[in-house]
Amino acid sequence: MEVAYDGKTRRISAGLEVVLSLGAIHTPKVLMQSGIGDHVELQRFGIPLVAASSGRGNRFPRSL
């Protein structure tokens, strides 16, 4: 990952895996920006589909 810190851009890497947790509101947004979600919604914003997940990012799941 790249971060801006103290006026400089720094690159940080992980040896195994990274767990990203942003809470109930921001996690779906980041997943959708990463290409994980409903293909129609992603296509609407020009985001290439990486993995289909129809309920991802919806305020209220369709099963309710």
Side-chain angles (χ1 to χ4, degrees):
M1 135 175 87
E2 288 186 357
V3 295
Y5 178 76
D6 201 22
K8 298 178 183 175
T9 301
R10 298 173 187 227
R11 182 169 283 190
I12 302 169
S13 60
L16 296 174
E17 64 183 42
V18 174
V19 176
L20 179 63
S21 177
L22 300 170
I25 296 172
H26 296 293
T27 299
K29 177 183 176 182
V30 170
L31 288 170
M32 289 183 72
Q33 289 174 326
S34 300
I36 302 169
D38 182 81
H39 73 280
V40 174
E41 287 294 311
L42 296 174
Q43 184 179 33
R44 201 173 113 204
F45 293 101
I47 301 171
L49 179 68
V50 173
S53 179
S54 62
R56 186 75 54 228
N58 291 339
R59 254 191 153 159
F60 303 102
R62 293 183 180 146
S63 61
L64 289 179

